Amino acid sequence: MRWRRAGDLAVSGTLAALAVVGALVAAHGGGDPARAWGACAAEFASLAALAFRRRRPLPVLAVTAACALAAAVIADRSTIGPLLPAIALYTLGTVSTWRVTAAAAAAVVTAYGAVAAAAGNPAEFLAAVMTCAVAAAIGLYIGEHRRLLERAAGEQRLTAAQAVLAERVWIARELHDALGHHVSLLVVQAGAVQASIPEESPARPVLTAMIAGGREAMAEMRRLVDVLRPAGEENGPETAGSAGFGPVPGVADLPALGDRLRASGLPVDVHIDVGAPLGRTASSTAYRIVQEALTNVIKHAGHVATRVDVTRTGTVLDLRVTNAAAKAAPADLGSGGHGLDGIRRRAALFGGEVFAGPVPGGGYALRATLRLGEIP
């Protein structure tokens, strides 16, 4: 704002000085001093009106043009000519449409034409035409440029807001996958302990409360993800960066995951053959798919023999989780709501597919493919 005010003062001061110089030249050059200073007064009134041109551009243009024309009529000439209405036209062009600006410019030029014809001064008319046309064109260009910048800034703010939302959804899903996995294990283990102790044991109510609390925690996490997910979302925003949120587990962490699950009672074997290291996003996605699949094994089959195979063929990463048939009904953990559906979304992020279903002889198998060429 300061530079704009300084510019306005500089332009106003220059035009005022030119008006005074013109009046002095006319008064001492054989002209009528009264008419010369009368024209100067009209030009000063026009300059005063220009101070309000950004608030009321169209009325200010009318007043400015009227004063400038009055100065031309009084002195048969105008010291600063059509510069004053041209400035008002420029301001109008920056804030209005081209139709309004063109109509206003045509009105000013027509008025100048009438005055020039009456005074027999065609040079005044030509100067008005050229000055007003250039000022209106520059004003329209500057106005459109500003609008484009404002629109781009608005789109940038919207994009930033969407990125923040995507990051929140990503964090919520990571929490859902990681915490849901461990909570599921706790509930299953509590259920196994509960089934192994007598009915009259004082520990049974405690275990029952632990199981209920675990189920409630999983339901709360599911609701959190549902609230944060944008309406109509098809693919999850797993591409959102994770900088600042700690290391993200990857394929190299799957053996450690198998160790923890074996310690909890799930006999799982993990076999990995991927060759060259995977990209961070692909590695993290593969880890989360296998983790969710193993969580589903615990939920729906219990502690049964399970095998994990992670292999890479060219640009395709193949993930397989196969488990034996359930020996007994597992603890009721409820529906996570994001198990198989979340696996499909993660695979779709890499242009992959998911196949899941029972296998001959009992048991269940899940296979997911990731096309590593889709995302580096």
Side-chain angles (χ1 to χ4, degrees):
M1 292 297 294
R2 289 184 177 179
W3 66 266
R4 179 179 290 180
R5 291 175 182 173
D8 288 348
L9 289 175
V11 171
S12 299
T14 302
L15 292 176
L18 289 174
V20 171
V21 170
L24 289 172
V25 171
H28 296 281
D32 185 350
R35 297 183 66 182
W37 288 108
C40 183
E43 290 169 347
F44 267 81
S46 183
L47 278 171
L50 286 177
F52 304 95
R53 69 184 186 276
R54 292 191 178 91
R55 298 180 184 178
R56 297 288 187 271
L58 200 56
V60 167
L61 173 62
V63 173
T64 304
C67 293
L69 287 169
V73 171
I74 292 172
D76 291 332
R77 58 184 290 276
S78 177
T79 305
I80 49 181
L83 288 176
L84 300 173
I87 294 174
L89 263 176
Y90 163 81
T91 304
L92 179 65
T94 61
V95 298
S96 187
T97 64
W98 70 268
R99 289 186 177 87
V100 174
T101 305
V108 173
V109 169
T110 301
Y112 262 100
V115 171
N121 188 4
E124 188 85 10
F125 175 69
L126 292 177
V129 170
M130 300 207 38
T131 306
C132 291
V134 171
I138 294 176
L140 288 171
Y141 172 78
I142 295 297
E144 184 62 24
H145 183 65
R146 287 176 182 172
R147 284 186 284 272
L148 287 175
L149 290 179
E150 290 173 0
R151 195 153 46 239
E155 292 175 354
Q156 187 176 12
R157 288 192 295 269
L158 179 60
T159 301
Q162 291 174 340
V164 171
L165 178 60
E167 188 71 24
R168 289 177 179 175
V169 176
W170 183 85
I171 294 170
R173 282 191 175 141
E174 289 297 307
L175 287 173
H176 177 274
D177 290 346
L179 297 182
H181 170 75
H182 294 293
V183 172
S184 298
L185 288 179
L186 292 175
V187 172
V188 168
Q189 290 169 344
V193 173
Q194 186 184 51
S196 64
I197 61 177
E199 289 287 341
E200 63 276 6
S201 173
R204 288 188 69 88
V206 177
L207 294 171
T208 299
M210 289 176 59
I211 295 172
R215 293 172 185 165
E216 184 178 354
M218 295 176 66
E220 289 294 334
M221 286 190 293
R222 182 173 67 252
R223 281 193 288 271
L224 173 63
V225 176
D226 287 338
V227 168
L228 290 177
R229 180 191 289 121
E233 181 191 66
E234 293 294 334
N235 295 325
E238 282 82 356
T239 53
S242 59
F245 296 98
V248 178
V251 169
D253 299 296
L254 287 176
L257 175 64
D259 293 340
R260 292 197 300 270
L261 291 176
R262 280 191 294 274
S264 69
L266 178 68
V268 56
D269 292 323
V270 179
H271 302 271
I272 300 175
D273 182 14
V274 297
L278 302 173
R280 187 185 68 173
T281 307
S283 183
S284 173
T285 300
Y287 179 92
R288 292 305 186 196
I289 288 176
V290 171
Q291 183 187 51
E292 186 62 40
L294 292 174
T295 302
N296 288 341
V297 170
I298 297 172
K299 286 181 180 179
H300 305 295
H303 291 171
V304 297
T306 306
R307 179 183 174 93
V308 175
D309 292 283
V310 180
T311 57
R312 178 178 182 176
T313 304
T315 59
V316 176
L317 185 67
D318 188 78
L319 311 171
R320 300 182 187 226
V321 178
T322 308
N323 62 271
K327 298 177 180 178
D332 181 17
L333 303 181
S335 174
H338 299 283
L340 192 57
D341 183 56
I343 290 175
R344 288 197 175 97
R345 281 198 301 270
R346 291 180 184 273
L349 183 67
F350 286 83
E353 297 177 319
V354 176
F355 307 92
V359 296
Y364 196 85
L366 180 141
R367 179 189 179 191
T369 59
L370 305 182
R371 301 187 183 278
L372 303 180
E374 298 293 332
I375 295 181

